[in-house]
Amino acid sequence: ALELVSVLYKSYGYKGIFLKYNNTNSLKWISEGNEDNSENKRFVTYVFKVIDTLGAKSTDIAITYDEGSIVNSKNENIEFEVESGAVIFKETPYTLTVSSPEALPGETVEVDVSLKNNPGIAAGALTPVYDNTVLELIDVKRDRTGFDGPIVLTESNKVVFSNSENEMSDGVLFTLVFRVLPTAKNGESEVTLKYEKGDLVNINEYNLNFKIESGSVGINSPAIKVSSSEVIPGETFEVDVSLENNPGISAGQLISVYDNTALELIDVKLNKTDFYSIIELTPSNKVVFAFSENKISNGVLFTLVFRVLDTAEAGRSEITLSYEAGGIINQKEEDINFIVESGAVNIIA
């Protein structure tokens, strides 16, 4: 956990010769003129470098000596009681941080893995951990000056990298490239990393213990929202159908679902300001529309016009939409999946 890098002694006022033996970390002192020194003060200071805590909370530091190695001017043995010390480690100061971007189902999204308080890293093997029912890891890439070694995404989805020297700076280490599955639901999908002891090392092959700060991919699924209102029997009213997180659509066939014992669908009106094209309400109450190009606008797509039947009973009546596979597509004729949030009409008798 520690590496002894130097010993400080010259500023403490002891006269004589200090000899340090690097191969054994031993220190020898001979007083000037072979005089006894009876002062009680700081003798030497050992300077250590923290290599890595390896998960430990502390490590003991002690000084030992052989019998006869401490003597006075008469060459008599002097015995000292040694009180050990310790280095208490703070929480690992260096981290690998995973970013938290947002994406739509079907999109490709990049998640950065960044270094913070980097002690110097030369090689590593990291396993991304994520929900494979939501995300698919398809690539890893690195665009970092100073890191000249290879980086590989293995068949087991482990990111392996190396460098010819320690990379000392902070910032993006590499980027994970995911595809959000078309079936992904709204919400945050966690992305983190794991590794085993010895998987992260510096150029001297010392183990590095990085703290992992997890990230996530925020998934904003396309949604169709149906508005709600309050009406009375015999009244004509409008229900807006709006798009949210629209990835781009060019055509659709939506089926209006409602209680036909309480409501009658009589018309549909397209929002021509943002979605200028043709729209049709078929005899089977299917709303059909098509555009010459992908429309990526959000907001009101069209408005359903209903009449409340005179015989309608008081209460809440749900209004929603449904569609079949291929019912909403983009210009490439790819299926676009929307979540439908139902609306309702509150009939007051």
Side-chain angles (χ1 to χ4, degrees):
L2 300 177
E3 177 186 355
L4 180 61
V5 294
S6 66
V7 180
L8 306 178
Y9 52 82
K10 291 184 178 180
S11 62
Y12 302 144
Y14 290 95
K15 296 180 180 180
I17 301 173
F18 282 88
L19 299 173
K20 179 178 178 294
Y21 302 96
N22 292 326
N23 57 334
T24 61
N25 284 336
S26 61
L27 182 70
K28 183 176 182 178
W29 173 66
I30 303 173
S31 68
E32 186 178 276
N34 196 29
E35 295 179 357
D36 289 337
N37 192 310
S38 58
E39 292 183 275
N40 292 314
K41 62 181 182 180
R42 186 181 302 178
F43 183 52
V44 295
T45 299
Y46 290 92
V47 180
F48 292 91
K49 176 183 178 182
V50 179
I51 300 171
D52 194 79
T53 64
L54 301 178
K57 294 183 178 180
S58 65
T59 185
D60 292 335
I61 298 178
I63 293 176
T64 62
Y65 65 92
D66 297 329
E67 185 178 355
S69 62
I70 302 178
V71 297
N72 60 18
S73 59
K74 298 178 182 180
N75 207 33
E76 296 171 331
N77 288 338
I78 305 298
E79 292 186 2
F80 280 83
E81 179 182 346
V82 178
E83 295 182 358
S84 299
V87 174
I88 299 172
F89 297 122
K90 297 180 179 179
E91 185 178 359
T92 301
Y94 31 97
T95 59
L96 284 167
T97 302
V98 182
S99 68
S100 298
E102 295 184 348
L104 297 172
E107 281 189 337
T108 298
V109 62
E110 296 186 352
V111 176
D112 292 332
V113 175
S114 299
L115 295 163
K116 182 180 179 182
N117 299 325
N118 177 19
I121 186 171
L126 292 161
T127 301
V129 180
Y130 56 94
D131 186 348
N132 60 12
T133 67
V134 176
L135 302 171
E136 177 189 6
L137 181 57
I138 57 177
D139 198 8
V140 62
K141 62 183 185 179
R142 182 171 60 208
D143 182 16
R144 183 181 176 91
T145 303
F147 225 98
D148 56 9
I151 185 166
V152 176
L153 180 63
T154 69
E155 292 183 358
S156 59
N157 276 353
K158 180 176 287 189
V159 179
V160 180
F161 59 90
S162 61
N163 198 43
S164 58
E165 59 185 8
N166 280 338
E167 169 61 26
M168 301 298 299
S169 60
D170 290 345
V172 177
L173 177 62
F174 58 80
T175 300
L176 300 170
V177 183
F178 289 94
R179 186 176 74 92
V180 183
L181 299 182
T183 54
K185 305 298 184 184
N186 271 7
E188 300 290 327
S189 186
E190 185 182 46
V191 179
T192 188
L193 299 163
K194 68 177 182 179
Y195 65 94
E196 298 179 358
K197 181 180 177 180
D199 281 348
L200 298 174
V201 297
N202 64 17
I203 199 65
N204 296 319
E205 297 187 0
Y206 289 134
N207 291 333
L208 301 175
N209 185 24
F210 275 82
K211 177 183 176 182
I212 304 295
E213 294 185 351
S214 301
S216 64
V217 175
I219 300 168
N220 299 317
S221 296
I224 295 173
K225 295 188 174 183
V226 181
S227 68
S228 298
S229 60
E230 189 172 87
V231 295
I232 59 175
E235 184 179 0
T236 298
F237 66 97
E238 296 183 348
V239 173
D240 289 333
V241 175
S242 301
L243 300 180
E244 188 173 280
N245 301 321
N246 176 19
I249 60 174
S250 64
Q253 298 183 43
L254 299 172
I255 301 169
S256 304
V257 181
Y258 57 94
D259 181 0
N260 60 12
T261 67
L263 304 174
E264 177 188 7
L265 180 58
I266 57 177
D267 198 9
V268 61
K269 298 187 293 184
L270 183 68
N271 171 16
K272 293 185 178 181
T273 301
D274 298 317
F275 299 95
Y276 186 81
S277 189
I278 59 171
I279 192 167
E280 179 185 359
L281 179 63
T282 70
S284 59
N285 283 343
K286 182 179 290 186
V287 178
V288 180
F289 58 88
F291 310 115
S292 59
E293 59 185 6
N294 278 342
K295 296 292 185 179
I296 59 173
S297 298
N298 291 306
V300 176
L301 173 60
F302 58 80
T303 300
L304 298 171
V305 183
F306 287 92
R307 187 178 73 86
V308 185
L309 300 182
D310 295 333
T311 55
E313 296 182 359
R316 183 179 184 276
S317 185
E318 184 181 56
I319 301 173
T320 188
L321 296 163
S322 68
Y323 63 94
E324 300 174 349
I328 304 176
I329 60 173
N330 61 19
Q331 201 166 25
K332 296 180 180 179
E333 297 188 359
E334 298 169 327
D335 283 3
I336 306 297
N337 295 316
F338 279 79
I339 296 171
V340 178
E341 297 182 10
S342 300
V345 57
N346 186 29
I347 303 173
I348 302 173

